[in-house]
Amino acid sequence: MNLHEYQGKELLSSFGVRIQRGIVAQTADEAVTAAKKLTEETGTGWHVIKAQVHAGGRGKGGGVKLAKNLDEVKEIAGQIIGMNLVTPQTSAEGKKVHQVLIAEDVYYPGDNEPEEYYMSVLLNRGTGKNMIMYSTEGGMDIEQVAEETPHLIFTEEIDPALGLMPFQARRVAFNLGLSGVAFKEMTKFVSALYTAYVKSDASLFEINPVLKTSDDKIMAVDSKVTLDSNALFRHKDLAELRDKREENPIEVEAGELGLNYVDLDGNVGCMVNGAGLAMATMDLIKHSGGEPANFLDVGGTADAARVEAAFKIILKDPNVKAILINIFGGIVRCDRVAQGVIDAYKNMGTINVPIIVRLQGTNADIAKDLIDNSGLDVLSATEFQEAADKVQEVLA
Ligand code: GDP
Ligand code: MN
C-alpha cells in the first residue's frame, strides 16, 4: 500500500525523523489558513505547494511550486487542486489532484548552500537483508544517476540480527561528505529512518531529496512510502491511511469481493483458481500469441456467485475480447464449477465475448458434458494448450 507524501512524512516524524513541516489542504482557502499557521510557527513566510498524488516527478509536471506570499499560496493552490497532473510516472491523462501539501520553504539562504541527497531503504532480495541506498546526487532521477554515474550510489546492508549499527550510520554521513553538526544530524536521521522502516513494516522508503539546509539541519523534503499490505493487520492506524481514489477502481472493487485481481493491458480475460495456475495461464496465453487482460485468482471456492462476480469484474475492462476460464478441480469438483459458470452466464443474460472453459481434475468429463450440452455460447477444452489455441481461434 502506498502513502501520500504528507502521510509518509507524518509517519517518519512520529519516529523522530526530521521533516519539512507542512499541512495538507483540500481547498485554496484551507491552503491559506495552513500557510498562516506555518508562518506563525516558523516565520519564513515562503511556502511550497505540493500536489498530493501517488506518483513521483511531480516537480517536473508542475505539481510543486513556490509561493512567496499568501496571495500566491491561494492562486497556486487553486491551480493545482483539481488539475490532472501529468508526470513522467503517470499515464498520459495524468492523475487528478484532490489535495495539496502546504510546506514551509526550507531552501532559505544562510551560511552554506542547501544540498540535496538521495536516500532509500528497501529489501535486497538477493541477500535477504534490508539496505540503505544513498547518494550525493539527490533531487534528480536516481535511475539516471544509476545509469550515468553508478559510483555515486552507495549501499549499506543491515544484518537483521544486529540492526543498523552506529558505525554504519556514521559511514553514511561520511560518504555523503558531511562534517560537524551536519554529520551528527545525518547519523540521527539515518537511524531514525531505519527504525521507522522496520517498525512500520514498510517495503520501501524513498526520500528524494534529503536536504541539508543552509544551517546544517538534515530533513526529509519528500517521502515515498510503501507499506507491506500483508502486515497491515498489525497496523490498524496505518491501514486507515489508504486512499482508494489513487488506485485502479476495478482492482478496488475486486478486492472488496475477495478476488485477487490485477488489471493488465491485453485483451484476453482470465478467470483461474490459484495464483500459480493464474500465472501459468497468463504465460500460456502469451506463448500462444495473445496478451492477458488481467490476473484473476478466484480462490478455492469457485461457486456460481464467485464466478458471476468474477465475470462482472473481467467485463468491466473494455479491452477484453475473449475470456479464458481455467479451473483445476481438486477440492472443488469440476461439475460444480461448470454449473456455476452456466448459472452465472444465464443470470447475466448476454455476454458479448466468446468464453473458453477448461476444467480439469475431479469430475472433469461430467463438467465438459454440462458445458457442451448447456446450449450456451461457451467452448470447452480439456487440455491447457487446446484452451489457448481456442482463444487464438476466436480472436482471429
Ligand atoms: P517530486 O518531484 O514528486 O519528487 O517532488 P519533491 O517533493 O521531490 O519536490 C520536487 C522539487 O521541489 C525538489 O527536488 C526541490 O528542488 C523542490 N522543493 C521542494 N521543497 C522546496 C522548498 O521548500 N523550497 C524550494 N525552493 N524548493 C523546494
Ligand atoms: Mn522527490
Side-chain angles (χ1 to χ4, degrees):
M1 183 182 93
N2 291 325
L3 298 188
H4 283 295
E5 174 196 358
Y6 80 92
Q7 297 168 324
K9 280 177 164 171
E10 279 168 18
L11 172 75
L12 296 183
S13 177
S14 73
F15 285 96
V17 179
R18 192 198 292 276
I19 57 164
Q20 173 192 40
R21 289 177 344 99
I23 299 172
V24 74
Q26 323 282 333
T27 65
D29 287 333
E30 276 181 33
V32 173
T33 312
K36 278 185 191 154
K37 185 146 187 277
L38 288 169
T39 307
E40 276 165 25
E41 287 168 17
T42 62
T44 72
W46 287 15
H47 300 92
V48 267
I49 319 295
K50 311 180 78 178
Q52 297 299 287
V53 290
H54 288 186
R58 295 164 302 165
K60 285 183 192 143
V64 178
K65 290 205 168 125
L66 186 66
K68 297 186 179 165
N69 54 53
L70 291 178
D71 288 340
E72 285 183 14
V73 168
K74 185 159 183 166
E75 190 190 326
I76 295 169
Q79 284 165 4
I80 295 181
I81 295 170
M83 83 187 278
N84 269 330
L85 181 63
V86 181
T87 84
Q89 293 183 19
T90 67
S91 66
E93 300 99 72
K95 286 205 130 185
K96 178 124 178 150
V97 182
H98 299 286
Q99 46 193 358
V100 288
L101 178 63
I102 312 303
E104 56 182 354
D105 170 36
V106 285
Y107 288 59
Y108 44 81
D111 294 344
N112 305 300
E113 280 294 304
E115 273 186 53
E116 295 181 324
Y117 311 113
Y118 171 93
M119 191 171 293
S120 57
V121 189
L122 67 165
L123 174 67
N124 180 343
R125 288 170 195 280
T127 59
K129 289 178 184 166
N130 289 325
M131 61 181 184
I132 299 173
M133 271 180 65
Y134 60 103
S135 175
T136 48
E137 308 306 289
M140 48 192 291
D141 253 347
I142 197 67
E143 288 80 8
Q144 194 186 334
V145 180
E147 187 79 21
E148 291 166 11
T149 48
H151 60 282
L152 295 178
I153 299 181
F154 301 93
T155 58
E156 194 65 46
E157 286 219 347
I158 295 108
D159 186 314
L162 299 174
L164 180 76
M165 301 295 283
F167 78 88
Q168 295 184 294
R170 288 198 295 273
R171 184 152 60 196
V172 172
F174 179 81
N175 283 337
L176 289 173
L178 300 174
S179 57
V181 178
F183 186 99
K184 272 212 172 120
E185 278 262 324
M186 182 57 85
T187 58
K188 274 205 291 191
F189 183 91
V190 173
S191 37
L193 190 71
Y194 188 70
T195 303
Y197 177 86
V198 172
K199 290 267 167 74
S200 60
D201 284 316
S203 55
L204 174 71
F205 275 5
E206 189 176 47
I207 316 297
N208 189 19
V210 172
L211 189 76
K212 176 164 79 87
T213 62
S214 60
D215 52 354
D216 282 346
K217 293 194 184 83
I218 301 291
M219 64 171 70
V221 165
D222 192 5
S223 86
K224 181 184 162 103
V225 168
T226 306
L227 301 173
D228 180 351
S229 302
N230 292 319
L232 283 174
F233 72 95
R234 51 184 192 186
H235 301 283
K236 298 270 184 297
D237 50 332
L238 299 178
E240 277 169 25
L241 299 177
R242 180 169 174 200
D243 185 350
K244 290 183 185 168
R245 295 175 299 191
E246 297 291 323
E247 299 175 23
N248 178 310
I250 311 180
E251 289 181 7
V252 171
E253 202 183 327
E256 282 160 5
L257 294 166
L259 300 166
N260 291 313
Y261 173 91
V262 181
D263 193 24
L264 301 168
D265 294 332
N267 58 4
V268 183
C270 315
M271 192 194 303
V272 189
N273 66 336
L277 188 58
M279 299 297 282
T281 304
M282 287 162 42
D283 282 351
L284 195 79
I285 289 171
K286 250 198 119 97
H287 189 68
S288 308
E291 287 289 338
N294 64 274
F295 166 96
L296 172 56
D297 170 13
V298 290
T301 49
D303 56 14
R306 285 184 78 74
V307 170
E308 187 172 339
F311 264 134
K312 286 188 176 147
I313 291 289
I314 293 176
L315 288 168
K316 279 185 195 246
D317 177 352
N319 297 326
V320 167
K321 297 288 178 285
I323 299 178
L324 172 57
I325 302 179
N326 189 14
I327 305 275
F328 177 74
I331 296 167
V332 57
R333 282 165 23 210
C334 290
D335 52 321
R336 293 191 59 178
V337 178
Q339 197 57 51
V341 171
I342 294 165
D343 292 349
Y345 197 111
K346 286 186 179 158
N347 267 343
M348 289 179 68
T350 46
I351 296 178
N352 290 327
V353 299
I355 296 172
I356 296 94
V357 183
R358 182 223 177 206
L359 292 163
Q360 191 57 276
T362 313
N363 290 354
D365 352 339
I366 307 173
K368 185 167 166 34
D369 286 345
L370 276 172
I371 299 279
D372 290 346
N373 299 323
S374 66
L376 300 174
D377 189 12
V378 178
L379 301 170
S380 68
T382 328
E383 297 305 321
F384 210 162
Q385 186 63 52
E386 182 192 353
D389 291 344
K390 285 199 174 159
V391 169
Q392 288 314 301
E393 276 165 36
V394 300
L395 287 177

